[in-house]
Amino acid sequence: MDMDTKILSATQDGIASAAALLRQGGLVAFPTETVYGLGADATNGQAVAGIYEAKGRPSFNPLIVHLADAAMARDYAEWSDAAEILASAFWPGPLTLVLPLRDDQGLSPLVTAGLDSVALRVPMHPAARRLLAEFGGPVAAPSANPSGRISATTADHVKAGLAGRITAVLDDGPCTVGLESTIVGLTGEGPVVLRAGGLPQEAIEAALGQPVQNAQGSEIIAPGQLASHYAPDAAVRLNATSARGDEILLGFGPVVCDLNLSASGDLTEAAANLFGHLHQLNSTRRPIAVAPVPMQGLGRAINDRLQRAAAPR
């Protein structure tokens, strides 16, 4: 695959062009508040297959369907009281709900990787919302990076990984949250966090008024559950107090390091910086040591990404 990847600005004309390319079966990367997504018409099987081809993504890893508003979600999934509570509280925003798939909903089976559930999200980013409204239908969109590699939080990250393999990039600057959405499964007896992300688990539990379980086992039923994911080219060592040998140190809090996620120990700032800093350190081609990050709030999601980045390839 080798094509001329267009760069579009998030103007009215740029949004209209991006939506038109999606209707034509093209692949369009676009910003969300979490990371840049690689979008395709979720009802067009050939377009969705193009996502897998461009990313080199395993076909058993399902995709998130992005929607312009919560009302559209009922066209594709069986709704529940818990879904209504969470959607009302956190959509638009960095939350994905995995729900039972409705019959005759029109999505390509490639979107769900053959599962009887579907992952849905209504993003908050203004450019994403305008694009989805202009397109007027469901857009399947994993993160806009080669599969298993560092997620893209700027248009430059997208171009570095996917230029020549996708139709266009809608450029509207850096993402603000910097971590993928939190994924909550609502297909069983109770809600389950399938992937920690940009919405802290504590907020979900407060909205539902009950504790939420975390996913156990190895079954892939939502994006981001592969053991090795978000990986730089070189090795990653976690919970490091200092660099060893040729390593470069990614810090957190008041530590001496080469690059700091947040010198003040702010987890929101660290989440926003995570993938951008990993891209920057990855360009050195040196092994990366990472200072400890607290396992609370957004720290759970940060540690999840770091553990997958450090997993055996």
Side-chain angles (χ1 to χ4, degrees), residues 32-48:
T32 76
E33 69 276 19
T34 56
V35 298
Y36 271 72
L38 179 56
D41 180 352
T43 67
N44 182 333
Q46 186 172 346
V48 175

Side-chain angles (χ1 to χ4, degrees), residues 201-212:
Q201 182 170 328
E202 293 88 341
I204 295 166
E205 292 175 333
L208 291 173
Q210 68 179 83
V212 175

Side-chain angles (χ1 to χ4, degrees), residues 8 20 23 79 86 102 110 123 136 148 173 191 195 205 221 243 259 263 304:
L8 304 172
R23 292 189 198 100
W79 210 240
L86 293 177
R102 285 190 60 173
L110 288 174
R195 180 181 74 183
E205 292 175 333
I221 60 173
L259 196 60
D304 172 84

Side-chain angles (χ1 to χ4, degrees), residues 5-212:
T5 300
K6 297 178 171 61
I7 308 300
L8 304 172
S9 60
T11 60
Q12 182 175 344
D13 288 345
I15 295 285
S17 295
L21 291 170
L22 288 172
R23 292 189 198 100
Q24 295 164 15
L27 303 182
V28 178
F30 63 95
T32 76
E33 69 276 19
T34 56
V35 298
Y36 271 72
L38 179 56
D41 180 352
T43 67
N44 182 333
Q46 186 172 346
V48 175
I51 291 177
Y52 288 102
E53 182 180 1
K55 285 176 61 72
R57 184 183 181 92
S59 61
F60 52 79
N61 201 5
L63 306 177
I64 295 174
V65 175
H66 292 66
L67 305 168
D69 56 55
M72 292 179 66
R74 293 167 177 78
D75 294 335
Y76 304 102
E78 299 293 343
W79 210 240
S80 65
D81 290 343
E84 182 64 29
I85 291 169
L86 293 177
S88 296
F90 302 117
W91 278 359
L95 172 68
T96 293
L97 298 179
V98 176
L99 296 159
L101 190 64
R102 285 190 60 173
D103 294 333
D104 303 320
Q105 73 319 110
L107 297 174
S108 165
L110 288 174
V111 170
T112 61
L115 300 174
D116 58 3
S117 58
V118 62
L120 303 175
R121 179 160 105 85
V122 178
M124 183 187 297
H125 194 287
R129 300 198 70 193
R130 288 162 57 207
L131 174 61
L132 291 165
E134 178 75 19
F135 178 68
V139 173
S143 56
N145 56 281
S147 186
R149 295 304 182 181
I150 307 168
S151 297
T153 55
T154 69
D156 285 341
H157 294 161
V158 179
K159 289 183 283 185
L162 296 175
R165 303 180 67 81
I166 64 176
T167 314
V169 180
L170 184 66
D171 185 354
D172 198 27
C175 302
T176 54
V177 175
L179 281 174
E180 288 86 356
S181 59
T182 300
I183 301 180
V184 175
L186 297 174
T187 59
E189 293 184 2
V192 178
V193 172
L194 301 173
R195 180 181 74 183
L199 180 67
Q201 182 170 328
E202 293 88 341
I204 295 166
E205 292 175 333
L208 291 173
Q210 68 179 83
V212 175

